[in-house]
Amino acid sequence: LQPRQPDFYNNLGNSMRDDTARNHEALHSYSTAIALKPSFLGARFNKASLLTSMQRYHEAVVEYTMVLDLDPSYRQALVARGNAHLGSEQLDRAEVDYRDALRNEPQSVSELNNLCLVLHRLNRLDEALATCRDAIAVDGAHAWSWYNLGTTQHKMGLATEEAVARSRLYEASISSYRRVLRDNPGLVSVWESLQTVLESTGRIAEAHDSRDHASALRRS
């Protein structure tokens, strides 16, 4: 490829983006490709995804929106824009994007899981619970769907005044976390969440065991 061709600058950006010290150079290359060819969806998407990885979420949303304006069927950009909204805590907007993406692929476990997380953060816990279960129905081994189910069950327990119902929710949360750890014992955040809910039930010895697992993983 010869210089001044959009593909040249897009590929140049791709070659630099794995080196975080060169992120700004990569962004400049993508921007050059876009300036040469404003309809270049690949360069816009690549720029947006790099901005997302740099936690420059609002700028990423602008680029993803440009992609979708040019091609409303670009589902990957719709999902990625939802992720950028989630990263910037624009939860209502993230929900819209995930629901739009699910209309075309209602069995997509990643979008169901992300929607569960959004609904949890919006404190719409019954909806979050149902959505996490929908994700697990699609893929019973999807670790983060089980994890988000556990966090939702714990949060519901914290909000429940009736002792028996609260105890059931805590036990369900513990079961969900243990389901994650059965296949993914190296997930520190899950051990820490398990510790918290075990403490809520007064199971201190088990809570300390979870704490020790998390500490050992952090040290390693």
Side-chain angles (χ1 to χ4, degrees), residues 60-163:
V61 165
V62 171
E63 289 297 338
Y64 286 131
T65 300
M66 287 294 296
V67 171
L68 290 164
D69 287 343
L70 291 164
D71 182 3
S73 69
Y74 202 141
R75 185 178 183 279
Q76 190 178 1
L78 181 63
V79 172
R81 188 175 68 178
N83 295 341
H85 282 314
L86 178 57
S88 63
E89 294 295 320
Q90 299 293 311
L91 300 178
D92 291 333
R93 294 178 180 180
E95 179 187 359
V96 170
D97 282 345
Y98 292 143
R99 290 195 185 280
D100 284 348
L102 284 163
R103 286 193 183 93
N104 293 326
E105 291 188 30
Q107 298 293 298
S108 176
V109 68
S110 59
E111 277 78 79
L112 285 167
N113 175 60
N114 286 347
L115 179 59
C116 169
L117 177 59
V118 166
L119 293 168
H120 175 273
R121 291 187 181 177
L122 288 169
N123 214 36
R124 289 157 56 187
L125 299 180
D126 288 335
E127 293 176 76
L129 194 75
T131 305
C132 279
R133 286 174 172 161
D134 287 343
I136 291 165
V138 174
D139 181 357
H142 192 258
W144 294 113
S145 295
W146 281 106
Y147 176 72
N148 286 325
L149 178 64
T151 60
T152 301
Q153 289 162 330
H154 186 202
K155 192 173 184 179
M156 292 176 81
L158 290 169
T160 300
E161 294 183 3
E162 204 277 312

Side-chain angles (χ1 to χ4, degrees), residues 6 8-14 16 23-35 43:
F8 172 85
Y9 289 103
N10 183 52
N11 292 337
L12 182 61
N14 290 342
M16 293 187 289
N23 279 348
H24 291 287
E25 292 178 75
L27 286 175
H28 179 73
S29 292
Y30 292 139
S31 295
T32 301
I34 293 165

